């Protein structure tokens, strides 16, 4: 999993989510539409959390739904949580923190 490190007028530079914790040098470049360009470096000093991908996907669904749907926050959380496995759901922040994120994304 990657997080945004920086961006310029042409592309987004991503770094491994464990860059600080494990001094990981795994990097990724995408264009501004998140289309893959290339990878730089490897994830050689740690193993990936197998649940990080599903948690990230849940956040992306939540963000997309909150930007497109202006219903109340409870309905957005309920709709987004349908089909999310329990092992992913327990890694998500509290509903209060998720509500704060939804308000910020709008």
């Amino acid at each position: 999993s990657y997080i945004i490190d920086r961006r310029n007028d042409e592309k987004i530079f991503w770094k491994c989510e464990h860059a600080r914790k494990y001094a990981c040098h795994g990097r990724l470049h995408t264009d501004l539409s998140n289309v893959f360009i290339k990878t730089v470096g490897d994830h050689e000093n740690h193993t990936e959390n197998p649940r990080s991908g599903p948690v990230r996907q849940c956040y992306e669904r939540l963000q997309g739904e909150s930007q497109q749907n202006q219903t109340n926050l409870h309905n957005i959380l309920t709709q987004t949580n349908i089909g999310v496995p329990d092992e992913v759901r327990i890694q998500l922040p509290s509903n209060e923190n998720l509500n704060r994120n939804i308000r910020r994304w709008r």
Side-chain angles (χ1 to χ4, degrees), residues 36-88:
F36 172 79
I37 297 173
K38 70 176 182 176
T39 58
V40 179
D42 291 319
H43 303 277
E44 50 192 52
N45 53 355
H46 67 90
T47 58
E48 181 181 4
N49 178 351
R51 295 183 189 146
S52 64
V55 170
R56 186 183 69 251
Q57 289 171 347
C58 187
Y59 265 106
E60 289 170 356
R61 279 184 44 208
L62 183 62
Q63 185 175 12
E65 188 67 28
S66 67
Q67 291 171 344
Q68 295 173 7
N69 189 344
Q70 296 299 315
T71 63
N72 69 43
L73 303 177
H74 176 75
N75 288 349
I76 292 172
L77 286 171
T78 302
Q79 192 67 22
T80 305
N81 279 330
I82 293 173
V84 175
D86 288 340
E87 63 268 10
V88 172

